[in-house]
Amino acid sequence: MGGNILQAMADGVEKADVILMCFSRKYKGSACCQAEANRAFQLGKPIIPVKLEEDYDADGWLGMVAPMAMYIKAYSDDVLEKNWSQLLRELERVGR
């Protein structure tokens, strides 16, 4: 990305049509990820949450930013493969 990481992240969010938010405990604990998610939320960008840990449900600020009722499960290769078509449909739906 080069230069200022936060500026590069903001540019990416601002240019995106859809935000694919792959979340985990580490994601929630990252100040940069929180800033990126908050910027997407402020801009009203469609967010598709992708759950990367089976035993983690988003809480705190993360639970408020992303529509967790419709997250895509992807915490293993098998689970992602099973849900791949759901992810593609959701990307198509919100990316219009």
Side-chain angles (χ1 to χ4, degrees), residues 1 9 12 19 21 29 35 39 41 44 46 57-58 68-69 74 80 82 84 86 90 92:
M1 279 191 205
M9 292 170 68
I19 305 299
M21 182 185 292
R39 185 68 180 141
F41 183 75
D57 291 317
M68 292 300 150
L80 176 58
K82 179 181 173 187
W84 188 251
Q86 178 188 5
E90 191 62 17
E92 185 176 280

Side-chain angles (χ1 to χ4, degrees), residues 7-63:
Q7 185 60 55
M9 292 170 68
D11 291 345
V13 169
E14 290 165 7
K15 292 175 184 174
D17 293 323
V18 177
I19 305 299
L20 194 61
M21 182 185 292
C22 300
F23 73 93
S24 64
R25 286 178 183 88
K26 279 188 170 183
Y27 181 92
K28 185 189 176 222
S30 166
C32 288
C33 291
Q34 183 176 2
E36 182 180 52
N38 284 335
R39 185 68 180 141
F41 183 75
Q42 289 170 346
L43 294 174
K45 297 287 183 168
I47 297 172
I48 300 173
V50 178
K51 184 176 180 173
L52 299 181
E53 289 181 55
E54 185 173 9
D55 63 342
Y56 175 66
D57 291 317
D59 55 358
W61 68 264
L62 182 55

